[in-house]
């Protein structure tokens, strides 16, 4: 890394998160980390620009997400009475019981926020993978960063597992298809959301804007 680049080139400036030393971002080979010249902290590693892999994982998440919300999570049997519900049905039941704030929190953290992130990623990665800049790219990137802290599928899964263990001593609890789907979704979401969105900016910078008058069709996008 080269510290303190000249003032006429500020587009590649980045500050060390530990000591705030300014560096110029340069390309590094695969499996190599760029370190700060002052404190030797890792600034970044070689970016993963395989957008097709991230797009495939995101589409898989959407399919599993649809399955998880279309089928019952668990089925409870107490003295011959069977009860089962979906995640959205559980949020609606909380709303009808007057706990609208809890219902809104459950719906936002387990349905709205994860779904918004996945759709936003498809909106970004889909066009970029074919060499086109997506519409409203800056607003969508900000929306993803805003929604990320509100996605709590893993917290929901932990709560469901604890509830199933506690209810198993009082009733017959049968895991539904949605419970297995949510388990798979937790792993898939962790893989998708571990992708560093800063790598997308590298692809966006190399992707011409179709609306720009000087857009050149000969430029290529790294895959």
């Amino acid at each position: 890394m080269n510290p303190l680049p000249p003032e006429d080139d500020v587009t590649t400036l980045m500050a060390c998160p530990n000591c705030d030393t300014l560096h110029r971002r340069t390309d590094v080979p695969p499996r190599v980390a760029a370190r700060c010249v002052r404190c030797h902290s890792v600034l970044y590693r070689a970016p993963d620009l395989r957008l097709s892999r991230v797009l495939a994982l995101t589409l898989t998440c959407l399919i599993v997400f649809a399955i998880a919300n279309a089928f019952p999570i668990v089925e409870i049997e107490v003295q011959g009475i069977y009860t089962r519900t979906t995640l959205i049905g559980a949020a609606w039941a909380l709303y009808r019981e007057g706990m609208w704030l809890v219902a809104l929190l459950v719906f936002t953290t387990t349905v709205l926020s994860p779904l918004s992130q996945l759709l936003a990623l498809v909106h970004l990665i889909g066009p970029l993978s074919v060499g086109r800049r997506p519409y409203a790219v800056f607003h969508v990137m900000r929306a993803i960063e805003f929604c990320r802290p509100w996605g709590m599928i893993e917290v929901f899964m932990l709560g469901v597992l604890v509830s199933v263990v506690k209810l198993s001593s009082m009733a017959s609890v049968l895991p539904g298809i949605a419970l297995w789907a949510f388990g798979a979704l937790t792993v898939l979401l962790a893989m998708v959301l571990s992708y560093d969105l800063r790598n997308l900016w590298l692809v966006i910078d190399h992707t011409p804007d179709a609306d720009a008058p000087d857009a050149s069709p000969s430029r290529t996008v790294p895959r």
Side-chain angles (χ1 to χ4, degrees), residues 47-70:
D48 184 2
L49 301 179
R50 295 173 296 175
L51 297 183
S52 58
R53 173 178 174 270
V54 183
L55 181 60
L57 283 174
T58 305
L59 293 176
T60 304
C61 280
L62 284 173
I63 296 173
V64 177
F65 184 86
I67 296 174
N69 284 276

Side-chain angles (χ1 to χ4, degrees), residues 56-208:
L57 283 174
T58 305
L59 293 176
T60 304
C61 280
L62 284 173
I63 296 173
V64 177
F65 184 86
I67 296 174
N69 284 276
F71 292 92
I73 303 173
V74 293
E75 183 177 287
I76 302 176
E77 186 269 328
V78 180
Q79 297 180 352
I81 300 175
Y82 290 86
T83 303
R84 60 181 183 177
T85 185
T86 61
L87 177 58
I88 297 178
W92 177 247
L94 290 171
Y95 176 78
R96 287 187 301 176
E97 292 294 328
M99 294 180 287
W100 63 269
L101 186 59
V102 178
L104 178 62
L105 185 62
V106 171
F107 180 77
T108 301
T109 57
T110 59
V111 178
L112 184 59
S113 180
L115 181 60
S116 299
Q117 292 181 69
L118 293 175
L119 292 178
L121 283 174
V122 171
H123 172 78
L124 290 175
I125 299 175
L128 288 174
S129 62
V130 295
R132 296 177 54 190
R133 179 172 294 192
Y135 176 74
V137 58
F138 303 108
H139 299 289
V140 175
M141 290 287 281
R142 293 191 188 100
I144 293 177
E145 290 295 339
F146 175 79
C147 291
R148 274 197 169 187
W150 293 98
M152 301 182 183
I153 291 290
E154 65 282 355
V155 177
F156 168 76
M157 273 299 302
L158 181 61
V160 169
L161 292 177
V162 172
S163 300
V164 167
V165 172
K166 288 184 174 293
L167 289 174
S168 61
S169 61
M170 299 179 292
S172 177
V173 181
L174 300 176
I177 297 176
L179 184 61
W180 301 107
F182 271 115
L185 182 62
T186 302
V187 177
L188 291 171
L189 272 178
M191 296 173 64
V192 171
L193 298 181
S194 64
Y195 183 77
D196 192 351
L197 288 181
R198 291 176 296 183
N199 295 337
L200 282 183
W201 288 114
L202 301 178
V203 183
I204 292 171
D205 290 339
H206 289 81
T207 304

